[in-house]
Amino acid sequence: MNMELFNSKNQPIRLNMPDANVMYYPGFFDQTKSNVLFEILLKTIAWQQDDITIFGKTHPQPRLTALYADNGNTYSYSNITMNPILFTKDLLFIKEKVETVCKANFTTCLLNLYRNGQDSNGWHSDNEKELGVDPIIASVSFGEERFFHFKHKANNSLKQKILLQHGSLLVMREKTQKFWLHQIPKTKRIIKPRVNLTFRIIR
């Protein structure tokens, strides 16, 4: 009997968040496969650094990004418009594994490379018009563990924090983007890079 199948670390966890549906799969990819995929993504993805304008000031985005898809649909956020590259075979492999759990057909993947603890992603919701109403977002993490914070838009007392582990999957569905914000905050700890893939549907 393969006891790994019954290892609790691989069991999905539903986060206790009202007005949301968030599931976390800590061992979605095993350690060996995660290590291989992490190195491939670091070396083969066409990473770029865009400028972002906040409160009238423009500065380099504090992480590298890339957009891949099975179509030519652009994706816009924070006054940045990204043009996709066709999925690589490695991204298709990851996408197909994620789709078996999510029961969804993702068209697009926005990737983020957090090079160190000063790379971050501020408070936001994935609620751009291209994503439609109540979008499903599937987030895969490889590399350094980082804390992922949630806070409710209407109730400041509702907060949640989860450590996104190497090889994990986080799935946000239903009203999550309507009622909650999320972020990857900066940290003063000296840490190694993290690659994050956020699969989404853009019609």
Side-chain angles (χ1 to χ4, degrees):
M1 181 180 293
N2 183 359
M3 294 304 294
E4 185 67 16
L5 292 176
F6 302 93
N7 191 320
S8 61
K9 75 176 183 179
N10 291 329
Q11 297 303 307
I13 301 163
R14 173 140 189 185
L15 275 62
N16 183 20
M17 296 168 56
D19 304 324
N21 182 346
V22 182
M23 296 291 294
Y24 179 60
Y25 303 77
F28 190 72
F29 291 96
D30 65 36
Q31 181 82 19
T32 301
K33 194 64 181 177
S34 295
N35 291 346
V36 171
L37 289 170
F38 175 65
E39 293 299 330
I40 289 173
L41 295 170
L42 270 182
K43 295 172 183 175
T44 63
I45 293 301
W47 298 109
Q48 65 188 60
Q49 186 172 29
D50 294 301
D51 287 334
I52 189 169
T53 301
I54 300 177
F55 302 124
K57 293 185 177 181
T58 301
H59 52 84
Q61 200 171 24
R63 62 189 179 281
L64 304 186
T65 60
L67 187 71
Y68 285 76
D70 62 10
N71 57 48
N73 293 337
T74 60
Y75 181 56
S76 299
Y77 67 98
S78 301
N79 296 316
I80 296 171
T81 298
M82 301 186 71
N83 295 291
I85 302 168
L86 285 177
F87 282 124
T88 65
K89 63 179 178 61
D90 299 295
L91 289 175
L92 284 173
F93 168 79
I94 298 168
K95 183 172 90 81
E96 288 166 5
K97 296 291 185 185
V98 171
E99 287 176 338
T100 60
V101 168
C102 295
K103 309 300 182 192
N105 296 315
F106 295 106
T107 65
T108 307
C109 182
L110 176 63
L111 295 94
N112 296 285
L113 171 56
Y114 298 87
R115 297 160 293 180
N116 52 51
Q118 290 306 294
D119 275 0
S120 61
N121 198 343
W123 287 114
H124 70 283
S125 294
D126 295 316
N127 58 0
E128 290 77 19
K129 67 180 186 300
E130 297 100 318
L131 301 178
V133 178
D134 299 336
I136 175 173
I137 308 291
S139 173
V140 179
S141 297
F142 296 115
E144 184 71 56
E145 298 178 343
R146 294 289 294 264
F147 277 107
F148 190 83
H149 292 202
F150 288 100
K151 69 176 179 181
H152 197 277
K153 293 180 181 179
N155 187 339
N156 292 333
S157 67
L158 294 177
K159 298 177 181 179
Q160 184 69 260
K161 179 172 75 171
I162 186 168
L163 185 64
L164 297 180
Q165 298 164 300
H166 182 42
S168 67
L169 168 66
L170 183 80
V171 182
M172 298 178 282
R173 300 177 184 266
E174 298 172 6
K175 302 293 184 183
T176 306
Q177 305 305 321
K178 180 178 180 179
F179 289 102
W180 290 80
L181 299 166
H182 55 268
Q183 71 162 353
I184 297 283
K186 297 182 187 298
T187 176
K188 293 182 179 179
R189 293 188 298 115
I190 297 175
I191 58 173
K192 296 178 181 178
R194 168 183 179 257
V195 171
N196 170 241
L197 304 84
T198 54
F199 291 96
R200 43 197 78 207
I201 299 170
I202 299 178
R203 300 299 182 193

